[in-house]
Amino acid sequence: NAGVTQTPKFQVLKTGQSMTLQCAQDMNHEYMSWYRQDPGMGLRLIHYSVGAGITDQGEVPNGYNVSRSTTEDFPLRLLSAAPSQTSVYFCASTQGAAYNSPLHFGNGTRLTVT
Amino acid sequence: DAKTTQPNSMESNEEEPVHLPCNHSTISGTDYIHWYRQLPSQGPEYVIHGLTSNVNNRMASLAIAEDRKSSTLILHRATLRDAAVYYCILHQLGGANAGGTSYGKLTFGQGTILTVHP
């Protein structure tokens, strides 16, 4: 079982470049979300989606865009990378409302912006 | 937002029980208590969750205080593979309603680094 798959595992960008972090899940989960993890900050929610075509902002959405055209995929786009976006990014999915359903996480994308 | 407080680190010996505490004195009546753990270079992994009653699963037990202001994750026999960062999280219903449902947001704090000695 693949679960939640994130690509790439590592990425180095220069300031101002754009890129898309990919996230795919094969569990037919409705809910998907993106977190970033920084030293001393825990995980913070960036954007989330409660189904195809529906997205909303989390705690730290600035500088990131998302879309959800299919149930399986939830890409995260950085339009103009900044050094402050250097972080480890995790995608997660869950079947039901997350307050009562376990989140399944991918293994992360480590992004460095120089 | 309700927050949790956990010790920064704890140590245990292999095959001994481990009790990981978590304080959440501002918890609301509808907050679920979740525990996740994160091994090095991996994403967080769900461990257990509960609302009011104690919970058991194959990985651990969750003991919730009667006033719900604290909880304890219990690993009955620690193994070296249990060495990880353990997060105690309150799941708050919230966020925009979309399509008739609402998405609860998980706020991860700093967690407890558990070291297991052979």
Side-chain angles (χ1 to χ4, degrees):
Chain A
N1 292 333
V4 178
T5 303
Q6 291 184 238
T7 56
K9 287 184 168 51
F10 301 94
Q11 182 71 50
V12 179
L13 291 178
K14 293 183 178 179
T15 298
Q17 286 184 318
S18 63
M19 80 159 295
T20 299
L21 280 64
Q22 301 293 343
C23 175
Q25 53 93 5
D26 62 357
M27 297 171 283
N28 201 33
H29 285 173
E30 291 184 71
Y31 297 79
M32 297 185 73
S33 51
W34 277 100
Y35 291 82
R36 60 177 288 173
Q37 185 172 35
D38 303 296
M41 300 292 291
L43 277 85
R44 293 180 291 170
L45 180 64
I46 305 172
H47 284 285
Y48 62 95
S49 168
V50 299
I54 306 169
T55 64
D56 207 344
Q57 296 181 348
E59 182 184 358
V60 288
N62 292 341
Y64 308 95
N65 282 348
V66 292
S67 60
R68 184 97 179 270
S69 57
T70 66
T71 299
E72 295 77 19
D73 300 299
F74 190 43
L76 178 71
R77 282 184 288 276
L78 284 71
L79 297 179
S80 179
S84 61
Q85 293 178 305
T86 293
S87 186
V88 182
Y89 292 85
F90 291 101
C91 178
S93 73
T94 185
Q95 177 54 43
Y99 68 89
N100 199 25
S101 299
L103 281 174
H104 298 259
F105 284 85
N107 280 329
T109 294
R110 187 176 297 274
L111 175 67
T112 302
V113 182
T114 62
Chain B
D1 292 346
K3 296 192 187 301
T4 62
T5 303
Q6 300 176 253
N8 289 333
S9 63
M10 291 186 65
E11 296 186 18
S12 173
N13 294 319
E14 204 174 6
E15 299 194 2
E16 289 184 354
V18 181
H19 291 235
L20 296 164
C22 181
N23 288 322
H24 28 78
S25 59
T26 59
I27 191 171
S28 72
T30 56
D31 286 341
Y32 281 74
I33 302 161
H34 288 243
W35 283 83
Y36 285 78
R37 71 181 185 182
Q38 187 173 21
L39 280 66
S41 301
Q42 293 189 23
E45 174 189 27
Y46 168 80
V47 177
I48 200 167
H49 78 282
L51 183 61
T52 56
S53 303
N54 295 343
V55 184
N56 299 297
N57 67 20
R58 63 176 179 81
M59 290 181 69
S61 296
L62 175 60
I64 302 173
E66 193 169 338
D67 63 5
R68 299 204 334 122
K69 293 186 177 182
S70 65
S71 61
T72 302
L73 178 70
I74 302 166
L75 307 179
H76 296 286
R77 290 184 64 193
T79 69
L80 296 178
R81 290 172 294 179
D82 291 323
V85 180
Y86 286 79
Y87 295 98
C88 168
I89 301 148
L90 299 184
H91 200 293
Q92 303 155 356
L93 289 173
N97 282 326
T101 61
S102 63
Y103 184 83
K105 301 176 186 178
L106 286 178
T107 300
F108 286 71
Q110 301 307 306
T112 296
I113 300 171
L114 175 65
T115 301
V116 180
H117 299 289

